[in-house]
Amino acid sequence: MNKSGRWAGKSWATLGDSISAAGGYQPLVCAEVCFATMINLAVSGCSMAAGGDRDYGATVHAGLALQDIPDCVTVFAGTNDFRLDKPLGSMEGRDIHTFRGAYATLIEDLLTRRPDSRLNLWTPLQRDKDGWDTTVRNGAGFRLAEYAEAIRGLGVYYALPVLDLYAESGITRLTLDYFTLDGLHPNAAGFQRIAGLAVPFLERL
């Protein structure tokens, strides 16, 4: 454990859905990266975009409600936007009922209120649960890969680091049985894989 590392004594917040709400990867990351404090603001079953019967837990709302923005903020969302048919939208107009609009609104709010916070974006994992896999188009006409691509684009636009779990985690239809409980939610091996990628990613920020 590197007590004098980049994040020693610093604070970390995670925003997102059930994969983060489960709290499976955060302790593994903290044990290596040495954050002094960690707050988990993820809400199970909810999307980045606002609206619908799960509006209460939208990631955009959770982020905007942060009073004291930590030194490092991770946003790990997208799989529920895909599953709940949230339109991709655009950054123009910052419509928080669309994926890009909500994400851009959140990014601009956090960086405006605390420019020195190290905001980082994680793409969703690949999945195959309840008929929702990487090949299907949702009710809005989009595949999961397009939400991942939107996050990469937001990272470029706002000069933010992106951990591309969709493309680099090794969690695919061939390995979902090994890394997940149900084709979506990580098991112990899945959380270890996520943490193994997150630690060097965060240490280089």
Side-chain angles (χ1 to χ4, degrees):
M1 188 181 296
N2 184 8
K3 292 290 186 181
S4 61
R6 164 82 170 89
W7 296 108
K10 303 293 187 179
S11 56
W12 182 35
T14 55
L15 293 161
D17 48 46
S18 60
I19 295 174
S20 295
Y25 64 83
Q26 293 95 328
L28 301 174
V29 170
C30 287
E32 296 294 328
V33 181
C34 302
F35 287 107
T37 61
M38 192 281 292
I39 181 171
N40 186 357
L41 300 171
V43 182
S44 181
C46 295
S47 58
M48 166 61 72
D53 60 0
R54 303 185 190 189
D55 179 76
Y56 64 89
T59 303
V60 65
H61 293 326
L64 295 178
L66 263 174
Q67 295 298 310
D68 298 312
I69 300 171
D71 301 298
C72 181
V73 179
T74 290
V75 184
F76 185 10
T79 198
N80 285 333
D81 293 85
F82 165 67
R83 176 65 181 85
L84 297 173
D85 303 326
K86 299 295 184 181
L88 282 176
S90 69
M91 292 189 298
E92 294 180 9
R94 306 298 188 269
D95 181 357
I96 65 170
H97 297 93
T98 71
F99 184 66
R100 283 195 185 95
Y103 220 133
T105 297
L106 174 60
I107 289 170
E108 295 195 4
D109 175 78
L110 294 176
L111 292 183
T112 298
R113 290 193 288 134
R114 186 171 176 187
D116 66 326
S117 178
R118 203 62 172 109
L119 183 59
N120 54 100
L121 320 179
W122 298 9
T123 66
L125 297 165
Q126 295 188 30
R127 58 175 288 165
D128 185 1
K129 183 177 187 295
D130 300 329
W132 294 87
D133 62 17
T134 57
T135 66
V136 70
R137 290 188 182 275
N138 64 12
F142 304 107
R143 293 190 175 98
L144 180 59
E146 293 176 86
Y147 292 85
E149 182 58 33
I151 293 168
R152 296 183 198 106
L154 287 160
V156 171
Y157 184 84
Y158 289 105
L160 295 174
V162 175
L163 179 59
D164 195 349
L165 295 174
Y166 187 93
E168 299 177 3
S169 68
I171 299 176
T172 73
R173 62 181 179 80
L174 299 176
T175 61
L176 282 168
D177 286 346
Y178 182 82
F179 287 113
T180 71
L181 300 169
D182 55 5
L184 172 62
H185 299 95
N187 56 20
F191 284 127
Q192 285 282 356
R193 174 58 60 88
I194 292 170
L197 293 166
V199 167
F201 170 78
L202 292 169
E203 285 181 333
R204 73 172 177 79
L205 301 186

Coordinates of all heavy atoms in Angstrom, one line a residue, residues 102-165:
A102 N -27.9 15.2 -19.9 CA -27.7 15.1 -18.4 C -26.3 15.0 -18.1 O -25.8 15.6 -17.1 CB -28.5 13.8 -18.0
Y103 N -25.5 14.2 -18.8 CA -24.1 14.0 -18.5 C -23.3 15.4 -18.6 O -22.5 15.7 -17.8 CB -23.5 13.0 -19.5 CG -22.5 12.0 -18.9 CD1 -22.6 10.7 -19.1 CD2 -21.5 12.5 -18.0 CE1 -21.7 9.8 -18.6 CE2 -20.6 11.6 -17.5 CZ -20.7 10.2 -17.8 OH -19.8 9.3 -17.2
A104 N -23.6 16.1 -19.7 CA -22.9 17.4 -19.9 C -23.3 18.4 -18.8 O -22.5 19.1 -18.3 CB -23.3 18.0 -21.3
T105 N -24.6 18.3 -18.4 CA -25.0 19.2 -17.3 C -24.3 18.9 -16.0 O -23.8 19.8 -15.3 CB -26.5 19.0 -17.1 OG1 -27.2 19.5 -18.2 CG2 -27.0 19.8 -15.9
L106 N -24.2 17.6 -15.7 CA -23.4 17.2 -14.5 C -22.0 17.6 -14.5 O -21.4 18.1 -13.6 CB -23.6 15.6 -14.4 CG -22.8 15.0 -13.2 CD1 -23.2 15.6 -11.9 CD2 -23.0 13.5 -13.3
I107 N -21.3 17.3 -15.7 CA -19.9 17.7 -15.8 C -19.7 19.2 -15.6 O -18.8 19.6 -14.8 CB -19.4 17.2 -17.2 CG1 -19.3 15.7 -17.3 CG2 -18.0 17.9 -17.5 CD1 -19.0 15.2 -18.7
E108 N -20.5 20.0 -16.3 CA -20.3 21.4 -16.2 C -20.6 21.9 -14.8 O -19.9 22.9 -14.3 CB -21.1 22.1 -17.2 CG -20.7 21.7 -18.7 CD -21.3 22.7 -19.7 OE1 -22.0 23.6 -19.4 OE2 -21.0 22.4 -20.9
D109 N -21.6 21.4 -14.1 CA -21.8 21.8 -12.8 C -20.7 21.5 -11.8 O -20.2 22.4 -11.1 CB -23.1 21.1 -12.3 CG -23.4 21.5 -10.8 OD1 -23.9 22.6 -10.5 OD2 -23.1 20.6 -9.9
L110 N -20.2 20.3 -11.9 CA -19.1 19.8 -10.9 C -17.9 20.6 -11.2 O -17.2 21.1 -10.3 CB -18.9 18.3 -11.1 CG -20.0 17.4 -10.6 CD1 -19.7 16.0 -10.9 CD2 -20.4 17.6 -9.2
L111 N -17.5 20.8 -12.5 CA -16.2 21.5 -12.8 C -16.3 23.0 -12.6 O -15.3 23.6 -12.3 CB -15.8 21.2 -14.2 CG -15.4 19.7 -14.5 CD1 -15.0 19.6 -16.0 CD2 -14.3 19.3 -13.6
T112 N -17.5 23.5 -12.7 CA -17.7 25.0 -12.4 C -17.6 25.2 -10.9 O -16.9 26.2 -10.5 CB -19.1 25.5 -12.9 OG1 -19.1 25.3 -14.3 CG2 -19.3 26.9 -12.6
R113 N -18.2 24.4 -10.1 CA -18.2 24.5 -8.7 C -16.8 24.1 -8.0 O -16.4 24.7 -7.0 CB -19.3 23.8 -8.0 CG -20.7 24.4 -8.3 CD -21.7 23.8 -7.4 NE -22.1 22.4 -7.7 CZ -22.2 21.5 -6.8 NH1 -22.0 21.7 -5.5 NH2 -22.6 20.2 -7.2
R114 N -16.1 23.2 -8.6 CA -14.8 22.8 -8.1 C -13.9 22.4 -9.3 O -13.8 21.2 -9.6 CB -14.9 21.7 -7.1 CG -13.5 21.4 -6.5 CD -13.5 20.5 -5.3 NE -12.0 20.4 -5.0 CZ -11.6 19.5 -4.1 NH1 -12.4 18.7 -3.4 NH2 -10.3 19.5 -3.9
P115 N -13.3 23.4 -9.9 CA -12.4 23.1 -11.1 C -11.3 22.1 -10.8 O -10.8 21.5 -11.7 CB -11.9 24.5 -11.5 CG -12.9 25.4 -10.9 CD -13.3 24.8 -9.6
D116 N -10.8 22.1 -9.6 CA -9.6 21.2 -9.3 C -10.0 19.8 -8.9 O -9.1 18.9 -8.8 CB -8.8 21.8 -8.2 CG -9.5 21.8 -6.8 OD1 -10.7 22.0 -6.8 OD2 -8.8 21.7 -5.8
S117 N -11.3 19.5 -8.9 CA -11.7 18.1 -8.6 C -11.3 17.3 -9.9 O -11.5 17.7 -11.0 CB -13.2 18.0 -8.4 OG -13.6 16.6 -8.2
R118 N -10.8 16.1 -9.6 CA -10.4 15.2 -10.8 C -11.6 14.3 -11.2 O -11.7 13.2 -10.7 CB -9.2 14.4 -10.4 CG -8.4 14.0 -11.6 CD -7.9 15.2 -12.4 NE -6.9 14.8 -13.5 CZ -7.2 14.9 -14.8 NH1 -8.4 15.3 -15.2 NH2 -6.4 14.5 -15.7
L119 N -12.4 14.9 -12.0 CA -13.6 14.2 -12.5 C -13.2 13.1 -13.6 O -12.4 13.5 -14.4 CB -14.6 15.2 -13.1 CG -15.9 14.7 -13.6 CD1 -16.7 14.0 -12.6 CD2 -16.7 15.9 -14.2
N120 N -13.7 11.9 -13.4 CA -13.3 10.9 -14.4 C -14.6 10.1 -14.8 O -15.4 9.9 -13.9 CB -12.2 10.0 -13.9 CG -12.5 9.4 -12.5 OD1 -12.8 8.2 -12.4 ND2 -12.3 10.2 -11.5
L121 N -14.6 9.6 -16.0 CA -15.8 9.0 -16.6 C -15.5 7.5 -16.9 O -14.5 7.2 -17.5 CB -16.2 9.7 -17.8 CG -16.2 11.2 -17.8 CD1 -16.6 11.8 -19.2 CD2 -16.9 11.8 -16.7
W122 N -16.4 6.6 -16.5 CA -16.2 5.2 -16.8 C -17.4 4.7 -17.7 O -18.5 5.0 -17.5 CB -16.2 4.4 -15.6 CG -15.1 4.6 -14.6 CD1 -14.2 5.7 -14.6 CD2 -14.9 3.9 -13.4 NE1 -13.4 5.6 -13.5 CE2 -13.8 4.5 -12.7 CE3 -15.4 2.7 -12.8 CZ2 -13.2 4.0 -11.6 CZ3 -14.9 2.2 -11.6 CH2 -13.8 2.9 -11.0
T123 N -17.0 4.0 -18.8 CA -18.1 3.5 -19.7 C -18.7 2.3 -19.0 O -18.1 1.6 -18.2 CB -17.5 3.1 -21.0 OG1 -16.6 1.9 -20.8 CG2 -16.7 4.2 -21.7
P124 N -20.0 2.0 -19.4 CA -20.6 0.8 -18.9 C -19.9 -0.5 -19.3 O -19.2 -0.5 -20.4 CB -22.0 0.9 -19.5 CG -21.9 1.7 -20.7 CD -20.8 2.7 -20.4
L125 N -20.1 -1.5 -18.6 CA -19.7 -2.9 -19.0 C -20.6 -3.5 -20.0 O -21.7 -3.1 -20.1 CB -19.7 -3.8 -17.7 CG -18.8 -3.5 -16.6 CD1 -19.2 -4.2 -15.3 CD2 -17.3 -3.7 -16.9
Q126 N -20.0 -4.4 -20.8 CA -20.9 -5.1 -21.7 C -21.8 -6.0 -20.9 O -21.5 -6.3 -19.7 CB -20.0 -6.0 -22.7 CG -19.2 -5.1 -23.6 CD -18.5 -5.9 -24.7 OE1 -19.0 -7.0 -25.1 NE2 -17.4 -5.4 -25.1
R127 N -22.9 -6.4 -21.4 CA -23.9 -7.1 -20.7 C -24.7 -8.1 -21.5 O -24.8 -8.0 -22.8 CB -24.9 -6.1 -20.0 CG -25.6 -5.2 -21.0 CD -26.6 -4.3 -20.4 NE -27.8 -5.1 -19.9 CZ -28.7 -4.6 -19.1 NH1 -28.6 -3.4 -18.6 NH2 -29.8 -5.3 -18.7
D128 N -25.4 -9.0 -20.9 CA -26.4 -9.9 -21.5 C -27.4 -10.4 -20.4 O -27.2 -11.4 -19.9 CB -25.7 -11.1 -22.2 CG -26.7 -11.9 -23.0 OD1 -27.9 -11.6 -23.0 OD2 -26.3 -12.9 -23.6
K129 N -28.4 -9.5 -20.1 CA -29.3 -9.8 -19.1 C -30.7 -9.5 -19.6 O -31.0 -8.4 -20.1 CB -29.0 -9.1 -17.8 CG -29.9 -9.4 -16.6 CD -29.5 -8.6 -15.4 CE -30.3 -9.1 -14.2 NZ -31.8 -8.8 -14.3
D130 N -31.7 -10.4 -19.3 CA -33.1 -10.2 -19.7 C -33.3 -9.8 -21.1 O -34.2 -9.0 -21.5 CB -33.7 -9.2 -18.8 CG -33.6 -9.6 -17.3 OD1 -33.7 -10.8 -17.0 OD2 -33.5 -8.7 -16.4
G131 N -32.4 -10.4 -22.0 CA -32.6 -10.1 -23.4 C -31.9 -8.8 -23.9 O -31.9 -8.4 -25.0
W132 N -31.3 -8.1 -22.9 CA -30.6 -6.8 -23.2 C -29.1 -7.1 -23.3 O -28.4 -7.1 -22.3 CB -30.9 -5.8 -22.2 CG -32.4 -5.4 -22.2 CD1 -33.4 -6.0 -21.5 CD2 -33.0 -4.3 -22.9 NE1 -34.6 -5.4 -21.8 CE2 -34.4 -4.4 -22.6 CE3 -32.5 -3.3 -23.8 CZ2 -35.3 -3.4 -23.2 CZ3 -33.4 -2.4 -24.3 CH2 -34.8 -2.5 -24.0
D133 N -28.6 -7.2 -24.5 CA -27.2 -7.5 -24.7 C -26.6 -6.4 -25.6 O -27.2 -5.3 -25.8 CB -27.0 -8.9 -25.2 CG -27.6 -9.1 -26.6 OD1 -27.9 -8.1 -27.3 OD2 -27.8 -10.3 -27.0
T134 N -25.4 -6.7 -26.1 CA -24.7 -5.7 -26.9 C -25.2 -5.6 -28.3 O -24.8 -4.6 -29.0 CB -23.2 -6.0 -26.9 OG1 -23.0 -7.3 -27.5 CG2 -22.6 -5.9 -25.5
T135 N -26.0 -6.5 -28.7 CA -26.5 -6.4 -30.1 C -27.9 -5.8 -30.3 O -28.2 -5.3 -31.4 CB -26.6 -7.9 -30.7 OG1 -27.6 -8.6 -30.0 CG2 -25.3 -8.6 -30.6
V136 N -28.7 -5.7 -29.2 CA -30.0 -5.3 -29.3 C -30.1 -3.7 -29.3 O -29.3 -3.1 -28.7 CB -30.9 -5.8 -28.2 CG1 -30.5 -5.2 -26.8 CG2 -32.4 -5.6 -28.4
R137 N -31.1 -3.2 -30.1 CA -31.4 -1.8 -30.0 C -32.5 -1.5 -29.0 O -33.5 -2.3 -29.0 CB -31.8 -1.2 -31.4 CG -30.6 -1.2 -32.4 CD -31.0 -0.5 -33.6 NE -29.9 -0.5 -34.6 CZ -28.9 0.4 -34.6 NH1 -28.9 1.4 -33.7 NH2 -28.0 0.3 -35.5
N138 N -32.4 -0.5 -28.2 CA -33.5 -0.2 -27.2 C -34.6 0.5 -27.9 O -34.6 0.8 -29.1 CB -32.9 0.6 -26.0 CG -32.4 2.0 -26.4 OD1 -32.6 2.5 -27.5 ND2 -31.7 2.6 -25.4
G139 N -35.6 0.9 -27.1 CA -36.8 1.6 -27.6 C -36.5 3.0 -28.2 O -37.3 3.5 -29.0
A140 N -35.3 3.5 -27.9 CA -34.9 4.8 -28.5 C -34.1 4.6 -29.7 O -33.7 5.6 -30.4 CB -34.1 5.6 -27.4
G141 N -33.8 3.4 -30.0 CA -33.0 3.1 -31.3 C -31.5 2.9 -31.2 O -30.8 2.9 -32.2
F142 N -31.0 2.8 -29.9 CA -29.6 2.8 -29.7 C -29.1 1.5 -29.1 O -29.8 0.9 -28.3 CB -29.2 3.9 -28.8 CG -29.6 5.3 -29.4 CD1 -30.6 6.0 -28.8 CD2 -29.0 5.8 -30.5 CE1 -31.0 7.2 -29.3 CE2 -29.4 7.1 -31.0 CZ -30.4 7.8 -30.4
R143 N -27.9 1.1 -29.4 CA -27.2 0.0 -28.8 C -26.4 0.5 -27.6 O -26.0 1.7 -27.5 CB -26.3 -0.7 -29.8 CG -27.0 -1.5 -30.9 CD -26.1 -2.3 -31.7 NE -26.8 -3.1 -32.7 CZ -26.9 -2.8 -34.0 NH1 -26.3 -1.7 -34.4 NH2 -27.6 -3.6 -34.8
L144 N -26.0 -0.4 -26.7 CA -25.2 -0.1 -25.5 C -23.9 0.6 -25.9 O -23.4 1.5 -25.3 CB -25.0 -1.3 -24.7 CG -24.2 -1.1 -23.4 CD1 -24.8 -0.1 -22.5 CD2 -24.0 -2.5 -22.7
A145 N -23.3 0.1 -27.0 CA -22.0 0.6 -27.5 C -22.1 2.1 -27.8 O -21.1 2.8 -27.6 CB -21.5 -0.2 -28.7
E146 N -23.3 2.6 -28.2 CA -23.4 4.0 -28.5 C -23.4 4.9 -27.3 O -23.0 6.0 -27.3 CB -24.7 4.2 -29.3 CG -24.6 3.5 -30.7 CD -25.8 3.6 -31.5 OE1 -26.0 4.7 -32.2 OE2 -26.7 2.7 -31.5
Y147 N -23.8 4.3 -26.1 CA -23.7 5.1 -24.9 C -22.3 5.1 -24.4 O -21.8 6.2 -23.9 CB -24.6 4.4 -23.8 CG -26.1 4.5 -24.1 CD1 -26.7 3.6 -25.0 CD2 -26.9 5.6 -23.6 CE1 -28.1 3.7 -25.3 CE2 -28.2 5.7 -23.9 CZ -28.8 4.8 -24.8 OH -30.1 4.9 -25.1
A148 N -21.6 4.0 -24.6 CA -20.1 4.0 -24.3 C -19.4 5.0 -25.2 O -18.5 5.8 -24.7 CB -19.6 2.6 -24.5
E149 N -19.7 5.1 -26.5 CA -19.1 6.0 -27.4 C -19.4 7.5 -27.0 O -18.6 8.4 -27.1 CB -19.5 5.7 -28.8 CG -18.9 6.6 -29.9 CD -17.4 6.6 -29.8 OE1 -16.8 5.5 -29.5 OE2 -16.7 7.6 -30.1
A150 N -20.6 7.7 -26.5 CA -21.0 9.1 -26.1 C -20.2 9.5 -24.9 O -19.7 10.7 -24.9 CB -22.5 9.1 -25.7
I151 N -19.8 8.6 -24.0 CA -19.0 8.9 -22.9 C -17.6 9.2 -23.3 O -17.0 10.2 -22.9 CB -19.0 7.7 -21.9 CG1 -20.4 7.6 -21.3 CG2 -18.0 8.0 -20.8 CD1 -20.6 6.3 -20.5
R152 N -17.1 8.4 -24.3 CA -15.7 8.7 -24.8 C -15.7 10.1 -25.4 O -14.8 10.9 -25.3 CB -15.4 7.7 -25.9 CG -15.2 6.3 -25.3 CD -14.7 5.3 -26.4 NE -15.0 3.9 -26.0 CZ -15.9 3.2 -26.6 NH1 -16.7 3.6 -27.5 NH2 -16.1 1.9 -26.1
G153 N -16.8 10.5 -26.2 CA -16.9 11.8 -26.8 C -16.9 12.9 -25.8 O -16.3 14.0 -25.9
L154 N -17.6 12.7 -24.7 CA -17.7 13.7 -23.6 C -16.3 13.9 -23.0 O -15.9 15.0 -22.6 CB -18.7 13.3 -22.5 CG -20.2 13.4 -23.0 CD1 -21.1 12.6 -22.1 CD2 -20.6 14.9 -22.9
G155 N -15.6 12.8 -22.8 CA -14.3 12.9 -22.3 C -13.4 13.7 -23.1 O -12.6 14.6 -22.6
V156 N -13.4 13.5 -24.4 CA -12.6 14.3 -25.3 C -13.0 15.8 -25.3 O -12.2 16.7 -25.2 CB -12.7 13.8 -26.8 CG1 -12.1 14.8 -27.7 CG2 -12.1 12.4 -26.9
Y157 N -14.3 16.0 -25.3 CA -14.8 17.4 -25.4 C -14.4 18.2 -24.1 O -14.0 19.4 -24.2 CB -16.3 17.4 -25.5 CG -17.0 18.8 -25.7 CD1 -17.0 19.4 -26.9 CD2 -17.5 19.5 -24.6 CE1 -17.6 20.7 -27.1 CE2 -18.0 20.7 -24.7 CZ -18.1 21.3 -25.9 OH -18.6 22.6 -26.1
Y158 N -14.5 17.6 -23.0 CA -14.2 18.2 -21.7 C -12.8 18.0 -21.2 O -12.5 18.4 -20.1 CB -15.3 17.9 -20.6 CG -16.6 18.4 -20.9 CD1 -17.7 17.6 -21.4 CD2 -16.9 19.8 -20.7 CE1 -18.9 18.1 -21.6 CE2 -18.2 20.3 -20.9 CZ -19.2 19.5 -21.4 OH -20.4 20.0 -21.6
A159 N -12.0 17.3 -22.0 CA -10.6 16.9 -21.6 C -10.6 16.2 -20.2 O -9.8 16.5 -19.3 CB -9.8 18.2 -21.5
L160 N -11.5 15.1 -20.1 CA -11.6 14.3 -18.9 C -11.1 12.9 -19.2 O -11.4 12.4 -20.3 CB -13.0 14.3 -18.4 CG -13.6 15.7 -17.9 CD1 -15.1 15.5 -17.6 CD2 -12.8 16.2 -16.7
P161 N -10.5 12.3 -18.3 CA -10.0 10.9 -18.5 C -11.2 9.9 -18.5 O -12.2 10.1 -17.7 CB -9.1 10.6 -17.3 CG -9.6 11.6 -16.2 CD -10.1 12.8 -17.0
V162 N -11.1 8.9 -19.3 CA -12.2 7.9 -19.5 C -11.6 6.5 -19.2 O -10.6 6.2 -19.9 CB -12.8 8.0 -20.9 CG1 -13.9 6.9 -21.0 CG2 -13.5 9.3 -21.1
L163 N -12.2 5.8 -18.3 CA -11.8 4.4 -18.1 C -12.8 3.6 -19.0 O -14.0 3.5 -18.7 CB -12.0 4.0 -16.7 CG -11.6 2.5 -16.4 CD1 -10.2 2.2 -16.8 CD2 -11.8 2.2 -14.9
D164 N -12.3 3.0 -20.1 CA -13.2 2.3 -21.1 C -13.4 0.9 -20.7 O -12.8 0.0 -21.3 CB -12.6 2.5 -22.5 CG -13.6 2.2 -23.5 OD1 -14.7 1.7 -23.2 OD2 -13.3 2.5 -24.7
L165 N -14.3 0.6 -19.7 CA -14.6 -0.7 -19.3 C -15.3 -1.5 -20.4 O -15.2 -2.7 -20.5 CB -15.4 -0.7 -18.0 CG -14.7 -0.2 -16.8 CD1 -15.6 0.0 -15.6 CD2 -13.4 -1.0 -16.4

